[in-house]
Amino acid sequence: MASVETMTALSPAAVNSASLPLLDPRAPVGIFDSGLGGLSVLRAVRAQLPDEALVYVADSLYAPYGERDDDFIADRTLAIGEWLVAQGAKALVVACNTATAQSIALVREKLPIQLIGVEPGVKPAAQQSKTRVAGVLATRVTLRSARFQDLLERYASDCRFLCQPGLGLVEAVERCDIGSAELRALLQSYLQPMLDAGADTLVLGCTHYPFLDAAIRDIVGDRLALIDTSIAIARQLERVLDQQGLRSPARDASPQPRFCSTSDGAHLKQLAATLLDIDAPVERVHIPSRRTLTPDSHAA
Ligand code: DGL
């Protein structure tokens, strides 16, 4: 994998291909995130694999995941994975660092399709930082997860990582705020200490954050190289589909994604139109799960 690529590719090897059901290469790929951030992954997947049909689920009713407990995140990830399997998905991209960190191992055991997860690009940051100081912006759940701590242990021996929870950033993107004065002030408060400490690299450890790249650039200029996960994830998906003989045959035109949201979907529609230039309807879907069956679960 080229050094500019972002994530450590998460091996799909835990799935025994002999146990996979007979899948149709024309079936869709499921992509899921707690909310709108996974659209940054969907954008890269469409660019890399234009013939693939895609079903995107935004669990916006329960976003952000970054402040939820581990069991809640695993519960939602499994329920949405099962729902996507029922919709005929041939593979699942967990386009959420937080859900990957907390639940991919468990969910992988339970679903009969290949899962591709994401994790912050600590490895490429360690490879390319010249000052040997790199910032990591990610959710609090991702930063405290055992999976992320393992990553740091592997790559932080000669590179200092400044880990900053991006409190408030997911919420901003969820309301389609990618450049307000308040958001810029928040970003400044997270990024200035990294600049002051001599960082030259910034890991965008949450799939929502690539949508903040212009606001980040306005603050840091060229002083930080931004490490984004999306292109590497798309390439990993391509490898997995090839290994399984599940690449879609060529189509006359790139199919329009099917967009689904557990909330009203208005912001999903807006962000897809303004940032991805995709004007598609959004279906409101109800995906029950053990932890969301109680009436007050919105505040869980
Ligand atoms: N896009 C998700 C991630 O990559 C955001 C998690 C959240 O909802 O807090 O971690």
Side-chain angles (χ1 to χ4, degrees):
M1 184 174 292
S3 63
V4 288
E5 291 185 355
T6 53
M7 69 168 194
T8 308
L10 294 182
S11 167
V15 172
N16 174 2
S17 52
S19 67
L20 291 173
L22 204 55
L23 296 165
D24 180 356
R26 299 187 73 88
V29 172
I31 302 180
F32 141 71
D33 181 40
S34 61
L36 311 186
L39 289 176
S40 64
V41 176
L42 179 135
R43 176 171 58 186
V45 168
R46 284 192 99 215
Q48 186 76 17
L49 299 163
D51 295 317
E52 295 298 335
L54 305 174
V55 183
Y56 183 87
V57 175
D59 198 17
S60 292
L61 191 56
Y62 301 107
Y65 282 4
E67 303 301 307
R68 299 276 189 181
D69 66 73
D70 300 353
D71 178 67
F72 187 94
I73 297 166
D75 177 57
R76 292 305 295 160
T77 306
L78 180 60
I80 292 167
E82 286 172 340
W83 188 85
L84 281 162
V85 169
Q87 302 300 306
K90 64 183 177 186
L92 171 62
V93 179
V94 180
C96 177
N97 291 268
T98 308
T100 300
Q102 280 314 335
S103 59
I104 198 159
L106 180 145
V107 176
R108 197 169 255 153
E109 274 174 23
K110 303 204 169 179
L111 293 186
I113 57 174
Q114 296 276 9
L115 266 64
I116 294 95
V118 302
E119 63 190 12
V122 166
K123 179 180 174 184
Q127 286 168 338
Q128 76 184 55
S129 170
K130 296 207 166 36
T131 61
R132 312 312 293 150
V133 183
V136 182
L137 260 186
T139 69
R140 204 163 15 203
V141 169
T142 298
L143 294 177
R144 72 162 154 74
S145 68
R147 188 183 274 275
F148 179 76
Q149 290 302 320
D150 282 355
L151 251 189
L152 272 191
E153 249 173 59
R154 260 183 284 149
Y155 296 104
S157 58
D158 73 333
C159 187
R160 194 170 143 227
F161 283 93
L162 307 171
C163 298
Q164 170 65 53
L167 300 177
L169 300 181
V170 168
E171 290 90 331
V173 175
E174 286 295 308
R175 54 177 188 267
C176 292
D177 174 4
I178 55 169
S180 69
E182 295 75 22
L183 173 68
R184 283 165 194 271
L186 196 57
L187 281 169
Q188 176 90 40
S189 73
Y190 296 154
L191 300 174
Q192 193 59 50
M194 296 179 187
L195 292 170
D196 293 345
D200 65 350
T201 307
L202 174 65
V203 177
L204 301 179
C206 167
T207 54
H208 281 70
Y209 302 165
F211 292 126
L212 304 177
D213 59 350
I216 293 173
R217 275 272 163 255
D218 283 350
I219 296 167
V220 305
D222 290 336
R223 286 176 288 172
L224 296 179
L226 304 188
I227 307 258
D228 168 20
T229 60
S230 42
I231 293 170
I233 298 161
R235 290 188 182 149
Q236 176 69 356
L237 172 63
E238 182 177 31
R239 277 190 290 272
V240 169
L241 294 179
D242 280 343
Q243 279 162 12
Q244 302 293 314
L246 284 177
R247 274 287 278 283
S248 168
R251 305 189 201 234
D252 294 340
S254 188
Q256 201 175 53
R258 179 181 165 202
F259 287 135
C260 305
S261 173
T262 55
S263 76
D264 71 16
H267 287 168
L268 171 54
K269 189 164 172 41
Q270 187 182 335
L271 209 66
T274 52
L275 295 178
L276 274 60
D277 210 18
I278 301 174
D279 190 12
V282 179
E283 292 166 46
R284 185 172 196 150
V285 293
H286 178 57
I287 304 180
S289 65
R290 177 177 49 83
R291 287 287 301 275
T292 58
L293 289 175
T294 51
D296 64 345
S297 55
H298 293 193

